[in-house]
Amino acid sequence: MHKKLFIPGPVEVLPEVLEKMATPMIGHRSKDASALQRGISDKLRKVFYTESEILLSTTSGSGLMEGAIRSCTAKRAAVFSIGAFGKRWYEMAVNNNVPADLFEVEFGQATSAKQVDEVLSTGKYDLITITHNETSTGVMNPVEDISKVLKKYPEVVWCVDAVSSAAGSKIEVDKLGIDICITSSQKCLGLPPGLAVCTFSQKAVERAKQVPARGYYLDLLSLYNYIQKKDYQYPSTPSLSHMFALDYQLDRILEEGIENRFARHIAMAEEVRAWAKKYFDLYSDEEHLSNTVTTVANTRNIDVSDLNKKLGERGFQISNGYGKLKDKTFRIAHMADCQIEDIRELLKNIEEILGL
Amino acid sequence: MHKKLFIPGPVEVLPEVLEKMATPMIGHRSKDASALQRGISDKLRKVFYTESEILLSTTSGSGLMEGAIRSCTAKRAAVFSIGAFGKRWYEMAVNNNVPADLFEVEFGQATSAKQVDEVLSTGKYDLITITHNETSTGVMNPVEDISKVLKKYPEVVWCVDAVSSAAGSKIEVDKLGIDICITSSQKCLGLPPGLAVCTFSQKAVERAKQVPARGYYLDLLSLYNYIQKKDYQYPSTPSLSHMFALDYQLDRILEEGIENRFARHIAMAEEVRAWAKKYFDLYSDEEHLSNTVTTVANTRNIDVSDLNKKLGERGFQISNGYGKLKDKTFRIAHMADCQIEDIRELLKNIEEILGL
C-alpha cells in the first residue's frame, strides 16, 4: 500500500505531476530543450520574486549548497547553523578548503540579526550562509530581520538554504537582497527529488569570477556562463524528466496563485501547531516556527516508531525526530500540494491510534 | 510529433520504462529505499562483471567523472583523451587543483596500450583516466590491451568513462582491473538522463582515504562509507524516480541476457557501418569502431542540418558532428533498446531524403 507522505521531503507528488515524469525524451541540445529550460527559469523568477538568473542543477539541494559556498567565497565564509543542514554547509566548506567559521545556536532556536551583525562587523567575511527553514528542528529563520543588517555589508554575498521552504513560504529574494537562494524539487515545489534550483545575482557572478578552482559540475559561474551562451542549455545532460514535471508544476503553482499557496501553507501549519499544543507541545522557539514542517515535542513519551508503523498500516507516514532528537520529537510536514483536509485526516488517525 | 532519438544520448526510452519514472514517492530513509538501492547495486554488478561496490549519484556522468579524479588522485593523474569527453576530464582535474597531464591523439584515433605504457613508465602517475567510448568521434578504445599494460603498474587507480558504452558493450570490470567504471542512465542503460553509476574498487577506497579535501557531494569515499553504514541509503536525497525505472530496466536487461544485449548492439553497429561504407565513409579508425555510435564521414558534403530537419518531419532524429566536426560528419547512435528494425527504418528514410 502506498503511504501518503507527511515527511519533510520527499513529499507526496500529485498523480498528474508524476505523469509528466514519464514524458518521452527530447535531445538536450535541441531548441525544445532551450525553450523548456528558459520557460522554467522565467516561471521560477516569479516564485522567488527576483530578476536574477536562475540555475538548474541535476543534484539534490546539497549540490547547489556546495556549489554556492565554493564558487563564491573569495575571503572567508560565515556559516550560521541552527541544525543539521546548517552544519552540513560548514562541512562542505571544510571539505573544499574554503576558509569558513561555524556559528551555532542551541537546537530549536533561530539565528538572530544581532548575531549576524556581530559576526560581520569583524570584517573577516565576504559570504554568509543562512538556513531559511531547518527541517531538523522545525525553525524558520527571520530572514527579513537579517536582511536589514546585511544592507550594512554590501560586499557580503548572501546564500540562503530555502530547500524546505521556497514555493511554500514567501521569500522575496530581490527585496531581501539574497544573492543565492537555493531549493530542491522534492519539498514545497511538490516534485520527486533529483533537481535543485537557485537564484544567482550579479553580485554572485562578479564574486565567482574572483574565485579560482571552483570545480566543474557544481561551479555556479560555469553554469551561468553556459546558459547565457547556449540559450538555457546546460554543460551536462540534465534530468529532462524533472524539467518536464517542473514546468508543468510551475504552471499549476502560478495558477493557484503564489500568495494563495503561501497562505495555504500557513493555514496547515496553524492547524498542526494548535493540535500539537492541545495534545503535546511545540519543540521549537515559538517566535520562529516553520510554515512547512512542525516539530512536536514528545511530552507524552510515546513510541514514535510504533506510531509511524501503525500510521503506515493506515496509509500515512510522518517523521521521527532528526538525529539526537529521534525519540524526543516527531515531525509533521505540511508542504507542497498537501491540503488542510489531508492534515486533518492525518491528525484524526494519530488521535485514534494514540487514543487521545 | 515525437522524434525517435538516434542521438548518442539521451536515447529513446521504452514506454514501460518511462512509466516507472511516474512511480509514487517513498521516504528515502525507509527500508523500501534501502531494498531498492541495494537491489540495483546487485544487478549492476552483473552488468559490470564485478564484485566491487556500486555507487549511485544523482548527477550526469560528468559528476562521477569529476568525483573519481578528485577523490582518487593522491600524486598525479594521466588523462588520456581521444575527444571532447576525454578533454573534459582534464578540465575537471585542473578546476579542482588536481595535478594532471593530458595525453591526446589525433581526432578519430584511439589510445594505444603502448602510449599508456610509455606515460606510466615515468612513475609520475598514480591514476589514469581512459574514455572507453568517445561519442564525439565514434571511437572505442582497446581497454583489453590497455588492461594488460596496467598489470605492470599495480599502484595506479584506473578510471574508465564508459558513459556511452556500459550495458551496450562488454566491459569486464574485475577481469580488466578497472577501479572506477562510470556510466549514466541516458545511454545504453536506456533510461532518461539524471542518474550516474560507477563501480568502486577496494583499491579506489584505500586511495581516496589518502586524499584530503575531496569535496562533499561528489566525494566517492563519503558515498561509499555512507551506503555501508546506512544499508544503501545515500547522504542526500537521491532521484527515486530514476531508481524505480533503473531497477525495472535492469530486470529487463538481465532478462534479455546481457550477452544477447551486447550482440544486438554489435549487429546494429555492423548494419550502420555497412550502410555508411556504401553511401559515405567511416570517419573513425576502423580498428577501433564504437559499438554504440557510428560517426559517418560526410563525403557527399550533404547539408546535415537539412537532413536532420527532414528526418524530424518523419519522426526521427540523428546528430550532427561534434564541435569542429559539426558539418564534416554526422552520427547515428545505436544504443539501449533500439532494434535492428529501427535502424533499418531510419537508414531507409535517410536514403529516401537524400535520393540515394
Side-chain angles (χ1 to χ4, degrees), chain A residues 68-328:
Chain A
I69 200 163
R70 188 182 185 198
S71 302
C72 296
T73 306
K75 208 161 71 175
R76 194 171 192 88
V79 176
F80 294 90
S81 170
I82 59 170
F85 292 93
K87 281 181 94 161
R88 179 176 283 195
W89 225 334
Y90 179 68
E91 197 184 337
M92 288 166 177
V94 170
N95 290 355
N96 282 293
N97 287 328
V98 172
D101 294 308
L102 176 65
F103 301 96
E104 295 183 89
V105 295
E106 210 183 313
F107 251 56
Q109 299 299 309
T111 301
S112 70
K114 188 165 163 279
Q115 187 192 16
V116 173
D117 199 7
E118 280 168 10
V119 168
L120 289 184
S121 67
T122 62
K124 285 164 68 179
Y125 306 98
D126 64 352
L127 180 143
I128 73 164
T129 73
I130 295 280
T131 312
H132 181 232
N133 189 64
E134 175 63 59
T135 49
S136 64
T137 60
V139 169
M140 191 166 265
N141 262 328
V143 283
E144 293 78 9
D145 292 352
I146 294 167
S147 154
K148 285 170 202 153
V149 162
L150 276 164
K151 306 279 189 233
K152 289 164 58 182
Y153 305 98
E155 76 285 5
V156 172
V157 166
W158 186 13
C159 305
V160 172
D161 164 4
V163 167
S164 58
S165 54
S169 193
K170 193 171 188 171
I171 310 167
E172 294 178 273
V173 164
D174 285 0
K175 192 175 146 198
L176 295 173
I178 298 169
D179 295 294
I180 307 178
C181 189
I182 300 163
T183 196
S184 61
S185 52
Q186 80 279 13
K187 311 278 181 172
C188 300
L189 282 170
L191 297 164
L195 192 74
V197 305
C198 73
T199 66
F200 198 57
S201 73
Q202 270 307 312
K203 195 206 281 186
V205 171
E206 296 310 317
R207 170 62 59 73
K209 288 179 185 168
Q210 301 164 29
V211 179
R214 301 177 305 271
Y216 182 92
Y217 193 77
L218 307 174
D219 172 9
L220 302 197
L221 182 59
S222 111
L223 295 184
Y224 175 86
N225 287 337
Y226 204 94
I227 63 172
Q228 307 303 316
K229 202 175 136 190
K230 302 271 193 180
D231 192 14
Y232 289 89
Q233 292 177 14
Y234 281 84
S236 304
T237 322
S239 180
L240 293 163
S241 312
H242 283 89
M243 300 292 181
F244 291 125
L246 175 55
D247 187 52
Y248 175 82
Q249 174 71 338
L250 285 167
D251 285 340
R252 279 194 70 263
I253 289 172
L254 296 172
E255 196 179 304
E256 175 180 14
I258 184 78
E259 299 275 353
N260 295 336
R261 191 172 179 87
F262 300 149
R264 179 166 56 75
H265 278 75
I266 291 170
M268 291 192 295
E270 285 172 348
E271 187 86 9
V272 177
R273 289 172 199 161
W275 180 89
K277 282 186 152 185
K278 184 171 172 191
Y279 294 114
F280 291 90
D281 205 353
L282 292 169
Y283 169 75
S284 334
D285 175 4
E286 288 207 31
E287 297 288 300
H288 302 292
L289 293 174
S290 164
N291 292 341
T292 59
V293 57
T294 297
T295 303
V296 183
N298 183 9
T299 49
R300 289 172 178 258
N301 209 17
I302 62 160
D303 183 333
V304 175
S305 301
D306 187 62
L307 169 61
N308 225 350
K309 204 182 137 216
K310 285 177 177 151
L311 278 170
E313 289 160 7
R314 293 168 178 234
F316 303 92
Q317 192 185 341
I318 61 169
S319 271
N320 50 240
Y322 193 96
K324 64 183 180 185
L325 300 174
K326 190 173 177 189
D327 300 311
K328 291 179 190 156

Side-chain angles (χ1 to χ4, degrees), chain B residues 124-259:
Chain B
K124 283 164 70 179
Y125 305 98
D126 65 351
L127 180 142
I128 73 164
T129 73
I130 296 279
T131 311
H132 181 232
N133 189 65
E134 176 62 59
T135 49
S136 64
T137 61
V139 169
M140 192 166 263
N141 262 328
V143 284
E144 293 77 8
D145 292 352
I146 294 168
S147 151
K148 285 170 201 151
V149 163
L150 275 163
K151 306 278 189 234
K152 289 164 58 182
Y153 306 97
E155 75 286 6
V156 172
V157 166
W158 185 13
C159 305
V160 172
D161 164 3
V163 166
S164 57
S165 55
S169 192
K170 194 170 187 172
I171 310 167
E172 294 178 275
V173 164
D174 285 0
K175 191 175 146 198
L176 295 173
I178 298 170
D179 295 295
I180 307 179
C181 189
I182 300 164
T183 197
S184 62
S185 52
Q186 81 279 14
K187 312 276 183 174
C188 300
L189 281 170
L191 297 165
L195 192 74
V197 306
C198 73
T199 66
F200 198 58
S201 74
Q202 269 308 311
K203 197 207 278 186
V205 171
E206 295 311 318
R207 169 63 58 73
K209 287 180 186 168
Q210 301 163 30
V211 178
R214 299 177 307 270
Y216 183 91
Y217 193 78
L218 306 174
D219 173 9
L220 302 196
L221 182 59
S222 112
L223 296 183
Y224 175 87
N225 287 336
Y226 204 94
I227 64 173
Q228 306 304 314
K229 202 175 136 192
K230 301 273 193 179
D231 192 13
Y232 289 88
Q233 292 178 12
Y234 282 85
S236 303
T237 322
S239 180
L240 292 164
S241 311
H242 283 89
M243 300 292 181
F244 290 125
L246 176 55
D247 187 51
Y248 176 81
Q249 175 70 337
L250 285 167
D251 284 340
R252 280 195 69 263
I253 290 172
L254 296 172
E255 197 179 302
E256 175 180 13
I258 185 76
E259 299 275 353

Side-chain angles (χ1 to χ4, degrees), chain A residues 324-340:
Chain A
K324 64 183 180 185
L325 300 174
K326 190 173 177 189
D327 300 311
K328 291 179 190 156
T329 66
F330 59 93
R331 293 174 295 164
I332 297 172
H334 23 82
M335 289 181 180
D337 298 298
C338 183
Q339 301 293 329
I340 200 144

Side-chain angles (χ1 to χ4, degrees), chain B residues 103 141 258 316 347:
Chain B
F103 301 96
N141 262 328
I258 185 76
F316 302 94
L347 298 177

